[in-house]
Amino acid sequence: TGTISSLQRQLEIQESQLRRTTSEKEMLQRKLGERESQLQAMSTKICSLIEEREHEEMMMAIEKENCRLRQVVTEQESKLAEQKQLISELQGTVSQLRAEVLSSRHHIHKQQQAQEEMQSRAEALQHRELQTRVALECITSRFERYRSKIIQATFSTAGSKPPQAEVTDEEVLEAMQKIINERLEFHQMLKQKGAK
């Protein structure tokens, strides 16, 4: 945007110089016309002069001045063409920069949308992670209570020794299997004796 503003200022300066050059050209053309009118008037007057030499010298001076003015006009026209070319190039640069600015704004807008979408997804994942942690803690708590009850039930039976240290899952399974086997043996013994 700063570059566009700078180029626009340069464009305005060039246009001002172009207008000034055009005005100078018109003024020089008016002077040339006035000089030619003066030349015509002086030619008429000189025709009435007796001394031919003075007439010729005056005509040469006027013609020299006219050549100088024509040269100035040519130079001004050349400068005017250069100014027009420069203005055209600056206008093209301004148009290109405006297009780049619009493209950059569109790209930034797309990046902001993508960032907002990623933020929304991250928040959703954080929410799901929190829910999962809460559910995991709940399940873990229920599992520990259930395991504690199993251990209590297993080692509170008759003939079982209470554990002296932390019990592993394998030890709990072995104790339960032992109780189940003893119960099966007792059941078989009752059946053999005819008890219901």
Side-chain angles (χ1 to χ4, degrees), residues 24-38:
E24 290 176 359
K25 176 189 171 186
E26 292 174 354
M27 182 181 68
L28 289 171
Q29 285 178 338
R30 284 197 301 271
K31 283 186 178 180
L32 181 61
E34 291 173 359
R35 290 286 185 179
E36 289 177 349
S37 298
Q38 290 176 2

Side-chain angles (χ1 to χ4, degrees), residues 37-98:
S37 298
Q38 290 176 2
L39 177 62
Q40 186 63 35
M42 291 176 73
S43 296
T44 304
K45 289 180 181 179
I46 290 173
C47 287
S48 63
L49 294 175
I50 298 171
E51 297 179 359
E52 185 68 26
R53 187 174 180 180
E54 291 180 1
H55 171 71
E56 289 177 358
E57 289 177 355
M58 209 176 281
M59 288 291 291
M60 287 174 63
I62 292 172
E63 185 63 30
K64 186 177 180 180
E65 181 67 17
N66 285 343
C67 288
R68 189 185 69 82
L69 289 173
R70 287 191 187 99
Q71 184 178 1
V72 172
V73 169
T74 302
E75 291 175 356
Q76 292 296 326
E77 287 177 344
S78 176
K79 289 181 180 179
L80 184 63
E82 291 176 0
Q83 295 290 333
K84 286 182 178 178
Q85 178 66 23
L86 181 58
I87 288 171
S88 176
E89 292 174 358
L90 287 173
Q91 287 175 338
T93 304
V94 168
S95 299
Q96 181 180 355
L97 288 173
R98 283 177 177 166

Side-chain angles (χ1 to χ4, degrees), residues 6 11 26 43 46 51-52 67 76 107 111 122 124 139-140 174 182-184 191:
S6 176
L11 185 61
E26 292 174 354
S43 296
I46 290 173
E51 297 179 359
E52 185 68 26
C67 288
Q76 292 296 326
H107 184 64
Q111 284 184 335
I139 292 171
T140 303
E174 288 177 2
E182 289 175 352
R183 185 169 182 150
L184 286 173
K191 282 179 68 176

Side-chain angles (χ1 to χ4, degrees), residues 71-192:
Q71 184 178 1
V72 172
V73 169
T74 302
E75 291 175 356
Q76 292 296 326
E77 287 177 344
S78 176
K79 289 181 180 179
L80 184 63
E82 291 176 0
Q83 295 290 333
K84 286 182 178 178
Q85 178 66 23
L86 181 58
I87 288 171
S88 176
E89 292 174 358
L90 287 173
Q91 287 175 338
T93 304
V94 168
S95 299
Q96 181 180 355
L97 288 173
R98 283 177 177 166
E100 290 177 0
V101 167
L102 289 175
S103 177
S104 297
R105 286 178 179 170
H106 180 67
H107 184 64
I108 290 171
H109 181 65
K110 287 179 67 177
Q111 284 184 335
Q112 287 176 344
Q113 285 183 334
Q115 185 176 0
E116 290 174 358
E117 184 178 351
M118 292 296 291
Q119 183 68 26
S120 177
R121 290 182 180 178
E123 290 175 356
L125 286 173
Q126 287 177 349
H127 183 66
R128 288 179 61 186
E129 180 186 5
L130 181 60
Q131 288 180 333
T132 305
R133 285 182 178 179
V134 170
L136 180 61
E137 289 177 0
C138 181
I139 292 171
T140 303
S141 177
R142 290 177 60 187
F143 173 75
E144 289 297 330
R145 288 198 303 269
Y146 181 65
R147 186 174 182 274
S148 177
K149 288 181 179 179
I150 290 175
I151 292 172
Q152 184 179 1
T154 302
F155 291 96
S156 64
T157 57
S160 296
K161 294 181 180 180
Q164 300 297 323
E166 182 68 23
V167 186
T168 64
D169 293 342
E170 288 77 8
E171 291 174 343
V172 174
L173 287 173
E174 288 177 2
M176 288 181 65
Q177 190 65 46
K178 182 179 178 182
I179 293 170
I180 292 170
N181 291 336
E182 289 175 352
R183 185 169 182 150
L184 286 173
E185 290 175 1
F186 183 69
H187 181 69
Q188 289 294 330
M189 186 177 66
L190 289 175
K191 282 179 68 176
Q192 290 174 359

